[in-house]
Amino acid sequence: MKKRTFKICISLIALLLVALVAMAGWSLYNVKNAVGTSYQQGKLKRAENGSKESLLKHAKPLIVLLMGTDTGALGRSYKGRTDSIMVLVLNPQQKKSTLVSIERDLQVNFPEYPEYSPSKINAAYTYGGVKLLSQTLDRCFKIPVNSYALINMGGMKSVIDQLGGIDITPLLSFNYEGYHYHKGVKSHMSGDKALEYCRMRYDDPEGDYGRQKRQRQVLTEIIKSGANVESLLTPAFLKSVSNQVRTDLNFSDLAKLAESYRASGDQLQTDYTHGSGFTQDGVSYQRISLAERQRISNLVRQAAGLRKVQLPQQ
């Protein structure tokens, strides 16, 4: 299951899965068009472990920032907040990958935007795009970012419908937006029903942590259901995927990932930031201790082959 989870995380950026199909020589023209639609520079500065291009060229550990948004089309003028923030480290040398979820409600300050501070870390993308979010991760955890992928979770319902729906066994029972979900009872879900299953937060005893589990579950089933090559090669599916993803990985980058980073899927380590909730000025936040920030920093940096650094008290 862990190996499959890695493939989801990489395929979740959707494009790598498409690139793997291209490596088999299928529908190269449609694949290149899909990748071209999704490509968008993130204005990331060169990270301490090197540039994306250099790392890919030499098949060295790559740190990818994965973000999920749920506020409409990616072409809108309003960017929205990133309700899902994950850091994925691909290490083909150790044949291992590491995936860490960052709590979206973590309270942070944005020196570049004092008028919006303090704020939740999921607002960084709204104010300063991928660049500000990567800078914030660097300040909080000393985590460098080499590349990024943004997935429109709301738009993924079209992908699910294109696949004919997916089978989900709910992790808990609840009612939400007109749908009822029975814990442990498998249900064939349309795109709308699966999306609402992902969205519910406040009735989950685990709060946002529980929602993240359900999101990963749905994404797992999307990839499992889309494993049939023919379904991935239809123009409608490729268009659905490319319209819901933005990434600074171009076709050449994805080809290198497909060729040199497959071994990264042999092992997968997953983790998440452990925090405590509090309310300030009527807003709910998460606070993460220095010890926990240091643990996450050490985990990611070690996975990327970087030396540990001591984090300052914030």
Side-chain angles (χ1 to χ4, degrees), residues 81 106-121 123-124 127 132 136 139 280-281 283 285:
R81 299 194 173 204
L106 170 62
Q107 188 187 69
V108 295
N109 290 308
F110 303 128
E112 304 86 347
Y113 301 89
E115 67 274 25
Y116 298 128
S117 299
S119 189
K120 299 181 181 183
I121 195 171
Y127 303 138
L132 179 60
T136 306
R139 281 196 298 268
Q280 181 176 317
D281 298 327
V283 179
Y285 294 99

Side-chain angles (χ1 to χ4, degrees), residues 6 9-10 62-64 66 86-90 97-99:
F6 162 77
C9 298
I10 266 301
L62 186 75
I63 304 175
V64 183
L66 300 178
M86 295 177 282
V87 176
L88 175 65
V89 183
L90 306 174
S97 291
T98 303
L99 180 69

